[in-house]
Every structure is written in structure tokens, then in C-alpha cells.
Amino acid sequence: MKTMNNAIINFKCKVALLFLMSLISCEKSLDVSPKDQVTDNTLLASTGNADLFLNGIYASLPDVYNMQESEDAWTDNAMCGYVYYVSRALINKSVYTSANAPTYWTQYVNIRKCNLFIAKVESSTLPDTWKKLRLAEARFLRAYFYQLLWIHYGGVPIITEVLDKNSQGDSIFRERNTDGETFKFITDECAAIATDLPVKPAETGRATKGAALTLKGWCELFEASLLKNPENDKTKWVLAASTYKSVMDLATYSLFPDLETMFFEGNNNNVEVIFSKAYLGGTSLGGSKEGLWGTRIVGGAQVGYGAMNPSQELVDEYVMANGLPISDPASGYNPQNPYVNREKRFYQSIIYDGSFWLGYEIVIKQGLGSRNATDLSNASGGGTNTGYGLRKGLDPKYAINGYSRLNSAGFIIFRYAEVLLGYAEAQNEASGPDASVYDALNKVRARSGLPPLEAGLNQDQMRVIIRRERRVELSFEEKRWNDLIRWKIAEINLNSTIHAMYIEKINNIWVYKIIPATDGSRIFYANKNYLLPLPQGAMDKNSKLTQNPNY
Amino acid sequence: MKKFREYYEKTPFKFLSEKTIRVMKLTLLLSILTISQLWATETYSQMTKLTIKLEDVKISNALREIENQSEFFFLYSPKLIDVEKRVNIDAQNQSIKDILTDIFGKEVTFAVSDRQIILTPNDQSEVLSAYQQKRQITGTVTDKNGTPQIGVNVVVTGSTLGTTTDINGKYSIDVPQGSNSLTFSFIGMVPQEISIGTLSQINVTLAESAIGLEEVVVVGYGTQKKTSVTAAVSPLQGKEIASTPITNLSNSFGGRVSGVIVTQTSGDPGRDASNIYIRGISSTGSTQPLMIVDGIPRDFTKLDPNTIESLTVLKDAAAVAPYGVAGANGVILVTTKVGKTGAPSLTYNGYIGFQNPTVLPKFVNGYQYATLKNAAAQNEGVPLPYSDYALRKLKDGSDPDAFPDPNVWDLITRNAVLTTHNVELSGGTEAVKYFGSLGYQYQEALWPSTSNKKYNLAINIEAQATKTTKLSLNVNGRVEKAAYPSILPGRIWELLQYVNTKRGPLYFSNGLPGDKIPASIFGSGYDDVNTMALYSKFSIEQELPFIPGFKIKGTIAYDPTIVMDKLWRVPTHIYSIIDTSKHPYQYKDAIFDQTRSSLNQTFNQYNQLTYQASMYYANSFGKNDITVLALVEAKNNNNLSLAASRRNYNLDVDEINMGSSSQADMSTSGTSNASRQVGYLYRVTYNYSNKYLLETSGRYDGSYYFAPGSRFGFFPAFSFGWRISEEDFFKKIGWISNLKIRGSYGEVGALAGSPFQYLSTYDVYGPAYVLGGQAVQAINSRNENNPNITWERARKRDIGLEVTFLKRFSMEVDYFYEKRSNMLVIPDVIVPIEYGIGLSQVNAGIMKNQGFDLSFSYNYSISKDFEVSLGANFTHARNTLLKVFETPTTYDNPNRRITDRPLGTQFGFHALGFFQPTDFGADGTLNQGIAIQPWGVVKPGDLRYEDMNGDGKINNDDLTVIGNPETPQFIYGISPNIRYKGFSMDLLFQGAAKTDRYLDRHMVWPFYNAMNAYVDNFNYWTPENPDARYPRITSAPTVNNSQTSSWWMYNVSYLRLKSVTLAYTIPSRITEKIKIHDVRIYVSGQNVITWTDLINYDPEGSSAYGNLYPQQKVISVGLNVKF
């Protein structure tokens, strides 16, 4: 019996020992690998895998359609409907500092991704034809990111390799390259890759030869403009014109017939689109421009933040249907009935009192209890500050308040109309208003039902027309700020007040009165605001950086 | 006979220390008695021949060697047998008798009984024969009320002979001839020694011992007697909280336990857990303590309070070292109830409570809103938005549709119900003990779309399967059904603050909704979260009688949790009047947000499997008590999630299959992950004469977080205790019954950050972009890896003092100091932003944290019927960042430096007050010498900031410290209790101090983002009110006045009557008539009264712009019945 007990105890001891042993061998069980991550080997295992990395770089293009305020709110085209948004609180009043200014410096994250992709793919054994194409795409994207930096900061450090703190030590801290070097880098890159890129992409959304040349032309146009070309070196204009001409000569692009629906998701990547940022509604990739920029209250419900209020200044730029500007006594413009017989683009772009949106008449008159009435109390988020709402590019289908992310419409970065207008501008500056200038402009105007320009305009008259045409045609497409800057007219146009349309009943008659918009005053310091300040965070971490003047 | 007595008095054969649980002690005693019955047989000893060669060894070692080589073991007293003597042994195949004769010569007599050998000095050999002559003594043990006491130890004084009382308090013991007295002892009772004389029956009444001294506290992987604990440990008894109307156990610590800092930031049913910081915050990484339920790492917060036996907070290194890498932030041990020996006991505990917010913001009404708006417009020189007519209409309320006066608080539910019911069954025999509990809790909320139902089931069974084998099975299940509206409470709370007269009424007079808030609360769909959590544990404990005091234990716990989330959103309708000039008003319907319904369903499964195997040894050698624990633990977690969604429902049927069949309207997602941990731990305690206590413990711990080679860390701790009150010189001081000094030092690890930072890998995600019109996946580089990443190390020091005097006062005070090194911080300042990639964390930060905690209690019985007691505790913890990555911009500016300041120190501009008209010249420009503020033109009534560096302009270089960290540095509780006959009153006052909160946006500024204003905002600056609370009124906050500044920093110190319980126990002479043992009725309150300077918000909130479901005040009525 005792032996039996001992046996049981012995057995139990052995079980316990086995148990302990089994735990001790558990050390190996710490080998867990994450299931949502892949290694270098996987990355370069096939072209398909490597493509995924490039996809991520494409995805890094600025997400304009989910920004509460686009750059147009910085300009005289519009003011933001919210008092505390960056554009109204900081930019419009020029009170921004290196600590709080909007930053493009984060593009270096995307630049690193490009550099990494280029380095990995170049040294890989993947097929050469694939390599050539994808490397060109990555270089295009990198050039685009550098363009954003160059326009806003001037010269920036040009980094084309993958920085490594362990092997490079202090050389990861770089000085700024000069403005000229940065410009040259971008345009050289565009020139170098243009031949490697296809005219027509295998998949829509990828970089093309046209995109590379348009980017090059745009940078050259910027470089030729007064800001960077105070001596008005004509060869710079010639260069820009010829690059734009080469895009036109591709004979791939043409104007889409309808400017209004061109921006809708059904017409993504249409004949006019050269390069765009893609969206996918219903996912995290969907766009929300209607909910953010669209008119706030429609039919009683809030369907948008109303963050983009077009200015009276912009409205006044839309010519009459007969092609004459409203300032022309022959135009037939009636200030007490200002919204009749205007050009087509006005009705496509602006929501005004009496217009219809989502099936509702928009009432911006005072005293009717309408929550869209002009907000004179400067109450952020009330009605419109200017008496206007944004319509251009907004799809009524997606007029849902806030970040709905339902719209699949792409944000067009470059379209053919800009090429035509850019060509016309450069050519006019280089050699005056020749037939090709007229031709380019008239194409754009004809699409919107405007008659051809009268013949015999001189260079200055043509410049005025080109600039108005460009402002109207490309409004709310993130072009205006750059134009104000490069033409060096920001110090004039942005040292003034944005105006609003105030409609009130006097003696039983609705009277239209143009008033300064509440909080519509603007300040622009010519000695510093043509460039943004480098972010303080970047300055703090890299003592080799120099700040832009007067910040 | 005298000699015999001396023998047993001086030589206790204590095989187990008092620390060991009673049952085990008993079993061992029984086994020794069994051994003595085998006295006469000599078979093994005669057959066994040993070969031993030892030179110059202690006899004790020689005997141990014999034990090792054979199955013999020796019983002897080292006091009487000189085992320190050194001997030489050279035995070749000799019998045990021959060997022992060689060793001892004639000095010692040895009696061999099979495998047991008793050694006695030769001159006392008669004891051996006396030992075998016994007589029986029986009796009953009761307490002062006459209740039989079960399980009381009855031991022949000075011997190992003993038994315990049975279920009726009866015992029976055979005592050897010459035994002098019996000792009766039981946890929580004063031990008694009764002289035997010629008695054959001894009945004893045990008195309860002075507070605390015999208390057993739960420590990591075991229990210890309170008196012999050398670590900083704070217990909280489950019964203290079972009757309070709390919904989450994490909310039960505030003010009740020293060393614990808590903040409860939300009162949302099911999401109202507190943040718990044991001894404050010691790391920039994770700061939450480890939670252990019945020895297994598990979340305790949603257990049924009725099933909790105790909660124990482990604070210092000595206490947490057994948890190694998981212990640095302190540990909370929760022990659930187990069955008690005795007849089945059935109890019911239930209450119904009514909840209301502790505080609601006081918004302006419609008329006040309009006057405030007009004042702002007047200030800004723009037309007045409200005409006299409108003001009149708003004031008289005659047209509530066009001139509404919405009051959001009309929408919320008052006196929302909170009710809890629990039935508990407990009982058992020495062989099997059982405990079962079923609990139900239902909680309503501020709106009917939120509610929480919780069912808790607990079953604990303990079985003494054999004399030496104990099994226990432990199951604790929870089903929780939480219902919420489809939007989060933060968003609802934000929407509530938008409501104002300009936006329209909540409802028009015809009943149509006029604002999005009613629909958001009542009709936006739902978010149902159903949780099924099961904690199951099986353990087996085996004593090994041939090694006295040794036992092994194996435990396996499997804890699956399933969470199902179903989010159904429906379009919400809002009506408005388009044109108020047309009568009667025409109402238009519009849809806010999505126009069609959508459904998201998520399935999450979390599985945790924990294994533990341990060896425990406890023994006494004279006055030396030793315990040794060794344990291996492995924890495997496997989680998965799966989700599906559809949108654009044509039919409003809330099933996935009923949704749109368009591919674009469907989505799925899913992932899984695993984590692993393995640890080897030990604890050795040594106790000399109950005076000098030494303990060391540690853990060698490994985690999957890090690269092979960096995975394991060793974390040891040492502690000591000196019970001065046990010293002879001290015993004269009668009024101090306990005085102990203890100290500890140790290192613990902390698993901060995230796993796999050592790997250089890429994330895969999708949909990432659209190419060719199709959604595509993408790969993205993760942060630059750090192959060397490993644990944070916390070095903790603690010195504590425990004192009890006059048997009524007891106090425990600890000073602690912790230095966290290897702290995981992101070294982002060492690379430029142009580097273009984030860096993984590195083990580079250093932080210290120090403070003290103190607890105090006082008990006084004025008479048998009248008792008062007072408890109090204070905790102070202050941390300092000693090394973090900081840019020169802040480091070189002493006002802005983060290093050398507490983590979370708040920076901003120092507001000097308002610009006054005298600060401006006649042309409206600022006077010379006043620093220029860059945020637009300033006017009288705007905030003026201090130019810290005197450069004449305000910019970021002028930032400075404007507030303490938000987490309180000081927290305290005071709990007076009174009991008179059947009545009792328990109060708990709890407070916090040295805590500042920055309030901004709509929490303080009127009309921020077109939101509402508070009544308090009327106190704005005017030339006539130059010392106002708020700047000049503007239609929206100006950039200048909304800079982060000291002006908006609030001291959120508070004191609150955290809980109060008034109870009456109906005398048993009444209840006995209806066959009920005990009936207690009580009224209880939680967060009853709060004293604070903060208005409109609860001081325990956080800085999330006030968008938090408010803390609740609960008043409840309860009933406690014991059948």
C-alpha cells in the first residue's frame, strides 16, 4: 500500500516535472511575427509586390478634397466661412509665423519614399522594361513633391538618396539648395523622364509623358514670371511656351465639352485630364469637397461646412454672356440685377441668391429667417460671409455634411485648359499676342460659350484678358495663390478687403449692395509673404537650414 | 516529567511557518501523526545499507546526505542535538544504526522507525517512551457571540501535535502524557493558551485580535501574514465596495487605498472606467497597472463587485518584482470569493439607484444669447444681428418656432435607473467547498438609446481530492449588452453645445425636430456592443509529505472573450422654416448626413491561455522560518477580428444580407495577431523570530516584443523588515503593539511602446489608392527600426513604517522613489524633418518619480453597541523627466525646458490680464514699451501676455510654464464610519490637489465655432468691468485671446463626498422569526457632493474639449439578505 502511495507520488512528481519542462521549452514560443507586415525580400520579390510600394507614393499626393479649406481661401477668390480656420485666422491677416504656418515640409516623407523606391528598384533584378517605367514614375512624383516645396519655400535641400543616420552621420543634415538649383533639378528630372513615360498610361492615374512635360512647363512658367524673373528675361518665357507647346503637340488631350460635369466622378480621367489625384468614394479614399466646401444649409438641413465663400471680386470677374466684362458700359450689366446674362461659368461655379441647389432655391436675402443670409456677425459657421456659395466641381449627389468621403471624383492637378492658358501667357510674354495665343484662349472660351476674342489686342490688353481667363477658368483648383505670387500682385490684391453682396429690402424693393465682407480685410507683407516660413520644427532640428527673409 | 516539558517547549517541530495556509498545516500534522504510528516497524532500516564518505562536515550536512542517499529522514531539535559539530564519516555498506553510532557516539539516542529516525539527547531518552502515552481532550471553540468557530487550530503547546475544529466548532485531540497546555489559534483571533491539568474537556471563547495584526494579505503569487510582509501592499476588502452603486470596479479605488491616483473622465455606461496610476506616473509610455484576477493576468474592472473577496494594490519593487516586465506600473490583484466551510449560505444583495450628472453646463437662454451676440456686434462695429423686435420675441417666447429658446437639458433623462441584483451561495466541507454567484446589473443613461446590461456568473469549487491533493476550478463569466446611439457620446456632447436660438428649436411646436441633436440621441440608429467574456481556471496542488513543507502546483487558465459590435446608422431628418415672412410657416424636411442606412458589423475574438507551474517550500528551523517559491508562467494571446459592412440600404432592415448588392457598397476587413510572454520567478523569505524579516524575489522574463537576444530581462528585488515591537526592550512600551520598519529595493521591467519595432518591415494596407479605376493595395515603410530595443527598467526604492498603538490607531506610511531608465522614447530630434521617416523608440529616456503614501485608521468601541472608526489615506507622487529628447529651442530656454520638469507640465503664454484703455494712445495704437502681439490688432479688453525674454515682441520664445500636469499629484480620502446597534453610516470624502486643466474652445469661449455661450460669459470685459473673467465679447473667439495661456488654466482641485452609505440591520431576533438570518437595508450615494472652483464641468474630466459623457451622481436604496 505504501509502495503504491509512493508510486503515485512519484508519478505526480514526474508529471509536475514534465509540466515544468514544457514551460521551459516555451522560450521558442516567443517567436511571433506580425501578420500585417512584410520584409524587404517580399517587397522586391516581384514587380507586382514592388508596385504596391509605388502605389503608396501615388496615394501620398495632397488630399485636397478632404481639406477643410483649399488654397483658394488664401486668395482673393474666396474667404473661408470659419473664423478659426488657418486661412482666415492666419493667412488672410498675415499673422502666421514659423510656428503655426501651413507646412509643405512634410513632403520630405514622400520624397524619402520615392528615394527608397528608386534605390531598391535600381539595385533589384526585376525586369528592365518595368524598372524603366516605374523609376520614371517615381521620379515624376518626386519632382512633383519638390515643386510643391519650391513654389512655397524657394530653394530647399535636394535629397535624392535614402538618408541613413547610422551610416551617414552628420551628413544627414543638409543645407538648402538655391532657388535656381531646385528649379533646375525639377525641370531636368521632368525632361529626363519624359522619354521613359508613355503618352497613354497602361492604367489611368499613372504619370505620363504629358504630365511630366506639363509639370516642367508649369515650373518654367513660374520661373519666367515677375517674382523669379524681375529682369523679364524673355528666354524664360520662350522655354515655358515651348514646353507647353510640346504638350499640345502630343495631340493626346482636348477640352472636355462641359466644364461643370468634367469634375464629376463619371468623367474621371477624361480627355482633358493630364494628371489627377484619384479618390474612391465609400472608402477612406473618398472625397468630401461637397460636405466641406459646399453651401451650409440647403432646404433646412446642414449639408456642408460652407467653408468656401466665393468673393464679390471673383464674381465680378465673370464676364457677361456676350463676352464683355461687367465694367464695360456696353456689357448690359445691371448692378441691381447682377446675376442675369452672365457667362456660363458663373452659373456653373457660384451659388448666389435665387440660384437652385439640390432642388432648393437658395435664399441669401436678409430678414427672411434664412440661415444662409449673409453673416454680418462674423459668427464662424453661420451663413456665408460673402453672399455666395461654391458650386464649381461639386456633385449634388454628394452634398452631405462633413467628411462623408463618398465622392470618387479625382482632384485634377493638371488639365489641358491650363496648358492652353499657360501657353497663351508664355507666348504672349515671349512674343506678343500672336495667332497661337488667340487660338489657345479662344478654345478655352468657346467651350464655355464665349465668343472669340476681338482681334488686334496689344500685349498688355492680352495679358489682362489672359489673367482674367485664367482666374475664372481655374478658380477653386488651387491655382490662384500661385498665380498671385508669381505675378507678384499679391501685395496689391491681398492688401485690400474682400467684398460681399448684401441684399436687403428698402421701401419694399430688394436692393443689392456691395459691402466689405465682415472680417474680409486682408494683409500681405511684400517683404516676406511671397514665401512661407520654414517650419520651426525643421529649423530646430537642422541648424544648417536658413529661414526665409523676415520670418 | 519536567524534562519532557522542556523538550517540547524548546523544540517545536514546526514544519510549516504560520504564513502557510491553515489547511496545509493540518495535513502535514496529520502525516506526522501517521508516521508516529509506524514506530515499531524496522524493515527498511534493517535492509538498507549505505556507503558514505565525508570529511570534516557538519553533522547536519551529514544527516542531509543520508536523507539524500536514502529514504530516511530525521526528526531532531537542533537546540538539543549539536548538529554544528564537525565529524568524519567513512562508512562502507553499513546499516543506518552503525553509521549513526559512529557519528554521535553515546551522546545521542536514536529511535529508528522504518524511514523515520528520531534523535534525542541521551539524558532525555525517556521522552520517547512518554511520547507514546496519550489521552484525549475534546471541546468546543466559539467567538464572543457564541458562534462556533470552524477551522481553529488546536495544538499541544510547543509541539506539532494538533487538529482543527470541525463545522460545529468541536475538536478532539490526543495529547501525550505530560502535555501542559493547548494553544488555540485562528486568523483574526487572539491566540489562547489553556492549561490542561486534569481536564478532559476544554471549551474556549476566542476574542478578535487587535486590528490588522493577524490579517493575511494577498501578494503576488501567494499570501502573507500582514505582520511579516516587507513590501508596500495596500488591501481593499470586497465588502467595502459591494454595496456602493459603482458600475466599474476601477472606480472603487479613489480615496480608499493609499498610493493610488485615479481619474474617472467619463460616466458613459460601459465606458466609464477610471485611469489608475499606482504611485503616479513614472513613464512617458504606458502607465496603467497590471491587473490580476485570481493569479492570472486579466481585466477585473467588469467583475461583479459582490464576488470580490479583496483587491490588493502592489506598490513597491518587492511587491511587483514577481511580475517582472509587467509590474513597473504597479499591480492590482483581485481575489474572488471562494466557498467557506459550513452549511450552505444563501445571500441576496441588490439595490436600485438613480443617476444624474454631477454637473451640467449652464448655457444662456435664447434672449441672453441674442443680447450677448448684439454686444459682440456692437464691439466689432457691425450691424446688430438681433433687432428690438427679435429681442422682444425671444424674451416673451410668443413665437417659439421663429424665435426659439432651446434648452438642451430638456432632452436628457433625469434620475436614470441603475440597478444591481446578486444571489450568492456558499458552503462546503473540508473536502469540497463551493461558491456560486449570479449577478445582474442594468444601467440607464442620459438618453434612452444608451443602456448597459451585465450578467456575471461565478463558480468556484475547491476540493481536497486526497489528503495531499487540492483541486480548484474557477469559472467567471460575463455577458454584457451595451446599447449606444450610432454616434459616440463625445460627438453627442459636442452637438449639444451647438444648440442655440439661431440654429432653431429642438422641436417645432408641431413636434417636428428642428435640430440634429434630438435625432442624434433618439433616432440615429444604434451601436450594440455585446461582450461574452469567460475566465476559466483549473489548478492542482500537491503536497509532498516526504519533503515536509514542500508542494507543487500547476495552473492552467483559458480566457476567451468575444466582442460583437453592430453599428446601424439611419438617415436623420431635420426640419426648418425657409421663409419666416410667409405665414403660416412652411416646414421643409431635410436629411442630415447620410441619405441611406448603413450597417457595420465587427467580430473580435481575444483568447488568452496562461500556464503556471510552481514549487513552494516552507519550513521552520527553530526561530528561523523560510519559504521558497519558484514559478514558471507562460501567457499566449491570440486575437482576431473580422468585419463586414454595407451601405445604401434600400430597405431599412438591419441585416448585412439586406444591404445594397452593389460591390461598391460592401466592404470586409479582418486581421489577427498574437503575443507571447514567458517568465521564471522566485521568492525567498526568511524570518527570524518574527522580528527580522528578509525577502528576495525576482523574475526572468521574456516577451515577443523584442529581437531574439533582447527578449529576456532579469528583475530582482530585495526587502527587509524589522518588527521593533517584538524586541524585548520594546515590549515594555505597552501602548505600541506593532511597530515595523521595512524597506525594499528592486528593478522591474516595463513593456512600453509597441511590438516588433526591432524589425525592418513594411506595412501593407488597402484600399490605398485608385489606379486604373480600381482600388489598389499599398506597402509603406514603417518607422526606422531599432534592433536593440528592449525593456524599460524601473528601479524602485521604498521605505515604510507600520505602527499600531493603543490597539486602536494604526498607521502605515511609505516614502518611495523610482527611477525609470531605458525609457522608451522617440528620438525624433536627432534627425532632421528632411530625413523623411519616423524613428522607432529607443531605450534612452530617464524619469524619476517620488512621493509618499500614508494610510491611517482608528477604531474605537465606545460600548458594545457603539463603534466609531476613521480611515484616511494620502498619496503624493511627483515625477520629473530627467532625460528626454528635446530640441535646443526648448531645452535652451529655461522657461520652456521639458527636461527636469514633471511629465505633462503645461506650457503657454503668461497672461498679464487685459489691455486697458490706458495702454493705448489717442490714435488707438499701443503705448511704447508694450510688447507687440502678433495675432492681429489688439483692443482694450484683449488678453495681454508677458514678454518673458523682454525682446519687445510676443512669440514662441515667450512660452513658459502655466500649469501643473493634469493628473493630480496629490490625492486623499477620509472615511469616517459610525455604528450604533443596527445602524451604520460610512462616509468617504475624496479629494485631489495639484492638478491643473487647460480649458479652451467651447468649454470657456462664447460662440466658439458657432456654438452656444454660458451664462458665466456675461462676465466679459468692458471699460466698466475691467477685472472681468472673459475678454471683450466678440462674435467668435479672436486669435489673440485664444492663444494657449495661463488665463484659461484652471486649478481643478476638488473634494467630494465620494460615497456615503447609511445602513440598518434588522435585529436577528426579529428576522429569525421568518427564518432569515440577517437583513440589512441601506441607502447609498456616489459622488454626492463636490466642492471645486471649476464651473460647468466636473473636475475629474479631461481636456477633450469637454466632449465627455459627464460623471454621474448616484443615489441608491439597497437590500442585503442572508438566508
Side-chain angles (χ1 to χ4, degrees), chain B residues 553-620:
Chain B
K553 186 175 177 182
T555 300
I556 182 163
Y558 176 62
D559 304 334
T561 301
I562 290 171
V563 182
M564 302 282 298
D565 192 327
K566 188 172 182 182
L567 174 63
W568 171 247
R569 293 170 182 273
V570 298
T572 54
H573 295 259
I574 304 170
Y575 291 80
S576 67
I577 307 169
I578 295 296
D579 186 342
T580 52
S581 66
K582 290 180 186 146
H583 291 274
Y585 298 148
Q586 302 234 314
Y587 295 90
K588 297 228 170 169
D589 175 20
I591 290 173
F592 177 64
D593 281 353
Q594 60 186 57
T595 53
R596 300 262 195 88
S597 301
S598 65
L599 182 65
N600 289 276
Q601 265 184 294
T602 311
F603 169 86
N604 284 299
Q605 183 178 299
Y606 310 91
N607 285 332
Q608 176 173 292
L609 192 55
T610 314
Y611 312 89
Q612 289 171 351
S614 61
M615 292 173 283
Y616 182 75
Y617 174 74
N619 211 339
S620 295

Side-chain angles (χ1 to χ4, degrees), chain B residues 160-433:
Chain B
T160 54
L161 303 177
T163 181
T164 54
T165 56
D166 67 9
I167 196 164
N168 299 312
K170 292 193 189 312
Y171 72 94
S172 163
I173 186 168
D174 292 336
V175 296
Q177 282 295 336
S179 298
N180 198 29
S181 59
L182 291 177
T183 299
F184 298 83
S185 66
F186 191 54
I187 288 164
M189 300 287 189
V190 178
Q192 275 198 38
E193 193 177 324
I194 308 279
S195 165
I196 296 171
T198 57
L199 296 171
S200 61
Q201 186 176 22
I202 299 174
N203 295 329
V204 175
T205 302
L206 286 180
E208 281 175 35
S209 61
I211 44 172
L213 289 189
E214 298 302 315
E215 201 180 322
V216 167
V217 293
V218 182
V219 296
Y221 302 98
T223 56
Q224 288 180 351
K225 209 166 73 172
K226 178 76 177 151
T227 47
S228 56
V229 168
T230 54
V233 172
S234 294
L236 174 66
Q237 296 309 312
K239 63 185 178 215
E240 286 183 57
I241 49 170
S243 296
T244 54
I246 52 165
T247 51
N248 185 301
L249 277 172
S250 66
N251 300 333
S252 58
F253 291 94
R256 282 197 173 86
V257 183
S258 76
V260 181
I261 288 176
V262 293
T263 56
Q264 186 193 348
T265 55
S266 167
D268 195 21
R271 297 166 175 159
D272 54 352
S274 289
N275 299 316
I276 300 176
Y277 307 104
I278 293 175
R279 292 186 159 172
I281 290 172
S282 310
S283 170
T284 52
S286 165
T287 52
Q288 291 297 299
L290 174 69
M291 297 191 269
I292 302 284
V293 177
D294 293 329
I296 307 294
R298 298 157 163 169
D299 182 0
F300 68 83
T301 58
K302 297 216 166 166
L303 296 178
D304 182 349
N306 287 292
T307 61
I308 304 300
E309 179 68 35
S310 70
L311 299 110
T312 310
V313 180
L314 309 184
K315 300 188 286 194
D316 71 344
V320 301
Y323 293 98
V325 73
N329 297 322
V331 180
I332 296 174
L333 301 177
V334 171
T335 311
T336 61
K337 286 181 184 168
V338 294
K340 292 197 171 71
T341 316
S345 142
L346 182 67
T347 55
Y348 164 82
N349 186 18
Y351 61 79
I352 179 161
F354 302 95
Q355 317 164 81
N356 286 293
T358 52
V359 61
L360 286 176
K362 285 189 181 62
F363 292 124
V364 292
N365 63 26
Y367 174 74
Q368 289 169 323
Y369 179 91
T371 50
L372 213 48
K373 270 281 179 194
N374 276 359
Q378 203 156 25
N379 247 345
E380 291 166 338
V382 298
L384 300 188
Y386 291 90
S387 65
D388 290 345
Y389 172 76
L391 288 173
R392 202 164 58 242
K393 282 289 193 186
L394 281 167
K395 200 167 188 180
D396 66 21
S398 59
D399 186 355
D401 291 334
F403 300 96
D405 182 12
N407 179 3
V408 287
W409 305 135
D410 290 346
L411 292 176
I412 67 165
T413 309
R414 308 286 175 160
N415 295 322
V417 167
L418 165 64
T419 186
T420 298
H421 304 276
N422 171 274
V423 177
E424 189 180 297
L425 180 69
S426 167
T429 62
E430 281 301 328
V432 179
K433 285 183 251 181

Side-chain angles (χ1 to χ4, degrees), chain A residues 9 12 16 19 29 31 37-38 40 52 55 82 84 95 99 105 112 165 204 278 300-301 368 377 380 540 542, chain B residues 542 546 552 576 580 590 612 647 676 711 761-762 769 772 777 779 782 784 834-835 889 934 956 1009-1010 1035:
Chain A
I9 288 164
K12 281 175 181 166
F19 189 49
S29 78
D31 291 328
Q37 295 167 27
V38 295
D40 263 348
L52 297 191
N55 291 349
Y82 284 79
Y84 61 89
V95 296
W105 212 255
R112 183 191 175 95
K165 67 178 192 313
T204 54
L368 295 182
S377 73
S380 173
D540 289 347
N542 181 359
Chain B
Q542 178 64 50
F546 50 90
I552 59 172
S576 67
T580 52
Q612 289 171 351
R647 56 195 181 93
R676 302 279 184 268
R711 279 179 178 160
T761 58
Y762 302 85
Y769 197 58
Q777 270 186 307
I779 287 177
R782 300 189 343 131
E784 196 174 86
E834 302 87 86
Y835 201 64
T889 315
N956 280 357
N1009 198 16
S1035 53

Side-chain angles (χ1 to χ4, degrees), chain B residues 833-1026:
Chain B
I833 292 182
E834 302 87 86
Y835 201 64
I837 191 171
L839 303 179
S840 285
Q841 292 177 310
V842 295
N843 296 89
I846 304 176
M847 186 167 170
K848 70 172 180 181
N849 181 35
Q850 61 188 331
F852 68 92
D853 49 55
L854 181 157
S855 65
F856 168 87
S857 74
Y858 167 76
N859 268 351
Y860 184 58
S861 297
I862 295 160
S863 72
K864 189 169 145 276
D865 291 330
F866 192 16
E867 280 178 47
V868 291
S869 68
L870 179 71
N873 61 77
F874 301 86
T875 303
H876 179 257
R878 183 186 155 91
N879 64 50
T880 307
L881 286 168
L882 297 178
K883 194 176 155 214
V884 284
F885 288 103
E886 191 177 356
T887 63
T889 315
T890 57
Y891 188 83
D892 293 343
N893 182 339
N895 294 326
R896 296 183 66 189
R897 186 181 293 179
I898 299 161
T899 310
D900 298 330
R901 286 206 163 91
L903 175 69
T905 298
Q906 306 191 63
F907 294 88
F909 293 105
H910 179 240
L912 296 168
F914 299 117
F915 283 109
Q916 302 292 351
T918 50
D919 296 326
F920 296 84
D923 58 347
T925 56
L926 271 179
N927 291 339
Q928 285 291 316
I930 293 179
I932 304 299
Q933 302 191 172
W935 308 284
V937 179
V938 292
K939 294 177 178 166
D942 280 333
L943 283 174
R944 179 179 170 186
Y945 305 113
E946 186 175 354
D947 183 12
M948 301 297 292
N949 60 3
D951 64 354
K953 57 183 185 198
I954 303 295
N955 57 24
N956 280 357
D957 297 335
D958 299 307
L959 294 171
T960 187
V961 174
I962 57 170
N964 289 307
E966 202 172 289
T967 306
Q969 281 181 20
F970 196 69
I971 199 159
Y972 57 95
I974 301 165
S975 49
N977 308 294
I978 300 173
R979 189 184 68 76
Y980 178 71
K981 290 193 170 165
F983 292 95
S984 70
M985 181 171 76
D986 301 295
L987 302 175
L988 171 66
F989 294 91
Q990 185 254 318
K994 272 228 128 182
T995 161
D996 289 323
R997 188 143 89 245
Y998 181 72
L999 268 62
D1000 61 351
R1001 302 198 176 185
H1002 53 262
M1003 294 183 83
V1004 277
W1005 303 332
F1007 311 131
Y1008 171 80
N1009 198 16
M1011 289 165 133
N1012 210 348
Y1014 301 110
V1015 175
D1016 196 51
N1017 290 139
F1018 271 97
N1019 185 11
Y1020 56 84
W1021 185 94
T1022 62
E1024 296 74 39
N1025 186 18

